[in-house]
Amino acid sequence: MDIERKEEERRYAEAATDEGRGLDSRVLHDPVRVLKPRPAVTVAPGDSVADAVGRMAGKRQGCAIVVEGGKVTGIFTERDAFIRVLAEGRDAKKTKVADVMTPKPEVLRLDDTIGFALHKMAVGQYRNLPLVDASGKPVGVVTQAEGVRYLAGFFPEELINQPPRSFEERPPRHQHGG
């Protein structure tokens, strides 16, 4: 598995160094730990969805890492709460996290690169990925937002000095029927 991961990282790094990239690709080789990931909200598979959502809300995080025996066994996200609980009319107090979590999620390690992490998130359409140590113990969560903030930090003037757009230039907002 490590060989596959390193090969995927190498291919991604080669693609990132192609001409035409605005950002020096060396930044993408920084380890994910420079993002200063937040500690993970952890829950057990038998915990109720209501308890998990309460802990997530208390820490202002969009996911909880499901841990059993000190290892990551799943991830429960805001999206899971909406699609697998609310949309299906389940009772959050009676529904167990194990019944609605995503089992065996992709994980990142402390030495994985930012480029590798962002690539994994883009390809898998993940907003959050568990971060584990060498023994597989969860140590945090890496979010897309942290990756974007990190990269945006290399362009502070360009971002701050974006010209304003007039109201007419803005795309129309979606109308919500009712």
Side-chain angles (χ1 to χ4, degrees):
M1 187 97 141
D2 283 337
I3 294 170
E4 290 173 8
R5 181 181 289 259
K6 292 298 178 190
E7 178 61 21
E8 185 176 352
E9 249 185 64
R10 186 192 61 73
R11 282 195 310 269
Y12 180 73
E14 285 176 1
T17 58
D18 289 345
E19 300 240 4
R21 303 285 180 172
L23 178 64
D24 184 336
S25 67
R26 289 175 292 187
V27 170
L28 298 174
H29 296 281
D30 289 344
V32 293
R33 68 178 151 262
V34 302
L35 298 176
K36 298 180 178 88
R38 299 179 187 193
V41 170
T42 59
V43 296
D47 289 349
S48 75
V49 166
D51 288 340
V53 169
R55 285 188 231 162
M56 290 162 54
K59 296 290 184 177
R60 300 181 49 92
Q61 289 201 28
C63 71
I65 306 305
V66 185
V67 178
E68 192 168 28
K71 303 283 185 199
V72 175
T73 59
I75 187 168
F76 176 73
T77 67
E78 294 167 321
R79 196 178 301 171
D80 294 328
F82 284 120
I83 295 170
R84 297 177 178 169
V85 180
L86 287 174
E88 293 181 8
R90 295 181 185 215
D91 183 338
K93 291 181 182 178
K94 294 179 182 175
T95 303
K96 301 295 179 205
V97 170
D99 297 333
V100 292
M101 70 181 189
T102 300
K104 300 178 186 172
E106 294 277 344
V107 298
L108 295 170
R109 296 189 203 127
L110 291 167
D111 60 344
D112 284 335
T113 65
I114 291 172
F116 180 75
L118 291 174
H119 176 70
K120 277 275 188 219
M121 290 178 172
V123 170
Q125 298 181 358
Y126 309 127
R127 287 184 262 172
N128 308 279
L129 283 177
L131 183 62
V132 298
D133 64 15
S135 68
K137 179 184 171 198
V139 294
V141 174
V142 175
T143 67
Q144 277 184 344
E146 289 164 341
V148 169
R149 268 194 298 277
Y150 182 76
L151 295 177
F154 291 93
F155 301 100
E157 287 187 35
E158 290 89 342
L159 292 173
I160 292 170
N161 294 315
Q162 289 295 306
R165 290 172 36 183
S166 71
F167 184 74
E168 293 79 32
E169 292 178 64
R170 294 184 181 155
R173 289 183 169 218
H174 292 280
Q175 298 273 332
H176 296 286

